[in-house]
Amino acid sequence: MSGCCGPILTSSGTGTGNTDPITDVEYVTLCDVAADGTATAFLRRFTHAQDGTLSSTVDLALDGRTAYTPAGTVGVCSGSTSTQPVTMQTASTHRQVLSTAGTFDVFGAATGTVESVTVTVISTGTAGPSVTTASGTSRLYGGESVTWSALPDVAAGSDELTGPLSVTTTAGDVVAVSWTERP
């Protein structure tokens, strides 16, 4: 198979409800070519700030978790490899600000595959907000921010969260829920 490697993720920066573009994270598969010509594929994660400027890059092994340090020449993979071919996936970012009492279901609002969710408590009323997942329900406190994410695992073909994940607010709570999804 010619070419190299797993997904390249891009974000459209679109949102729903009370939206603002949020931090965008993209992964690109590159190859580290040693002096003897041996190529090792790895992921490079690019993080962009709200204004679109590049804020950081991190190199990771193909498992998406282990730090990787290139030792040779870094470039686009070519030739025969045992890794997946390059594919393009478009991810969209969404943000919903909850300021009235009720329950917001992230997976109910999503139209695609959810890859990450962040819940940030801006302020709390008397009872305070709570979050419900498959593990149960937990109270959230003012200023607290909680994130769930699925790192790309090219070898296993897995990079999505599964529900449930809902946020329940009470009178006086203001909570921002941000999530990234792909079609």
Side-chain angles (χ1 to χ4, degrees):
M1 187 178 302
S2 181
C4 182
C5 316
I8 298 172
L9 303 176
T10 60
S11 172
S12 65
T14 61
T16 60
N18 297 321
T19 61
D20 293 319
I22 59 174
T23 301
D24 175 39
V25 177
E26 300 172 17
Y27 291 84
V28 176
T29 305
L30 298 171
C31 277
D32 178 12
V33 182
D36 67 0
T38 305
T40 303
F42 68 98
L43 296 173
R44 179 162 288 166
R45 181 178 65 206
F46 297 90
T47 304
H48 295 87
Q50 289 181 354
D51 65 2
T53 59
L54 181 65
S55 57
S56 69
T57 59
V58 176
D59 293 334
L60 302 166
L62 291 179
D63 65 7
R65 294 183 273 287
T66 307
Y68 181 81
T69 303
T73 303
V74 173
V76 175
C77 299
S78 63
S80 179
T81 67
S82 61
T83 57
Q84 300 290 328
V86 173
T87 58
M88 176 73 84
Q89 297 177 354
T90 302
S92 58
T93 54
H94 305 270
R95 183 171 180 239
Q96 181 71 45
V97 176
L98 312 175
S99 58
T100 59
T103 299
F104 179 74
D105 177 3
V106 175
F107 288 90
T111 58
T113 301
V114 177
E115 297 177 322
S116 66
V117 177
T118 298
V119 176
T120 303
V121 180
I122 298 166
S123 63
T124 60
T126 304
S130 62
V131 64
T132 301
T133 67
S135 300
T137 301
S138 299
R139 184 174 190 284
L140 298 172
Y141 297 92
E144 183 175 11
S145 185
V146 184
T147 298
W148 297 263
S149 66
L151 293 173
D153 186 348
V154 175
S158 172
D159 61 350
E160 65 183 85
L161 294 176
T162 57
L165 200 154
S166 62
V167 179
T168 302
T169 52
T170 61
D173 296 338
V174 178
V175 177
V177 181
S178 302
W179 71 97
T180 302
E181 63 182 79
R182 62 175 161 66

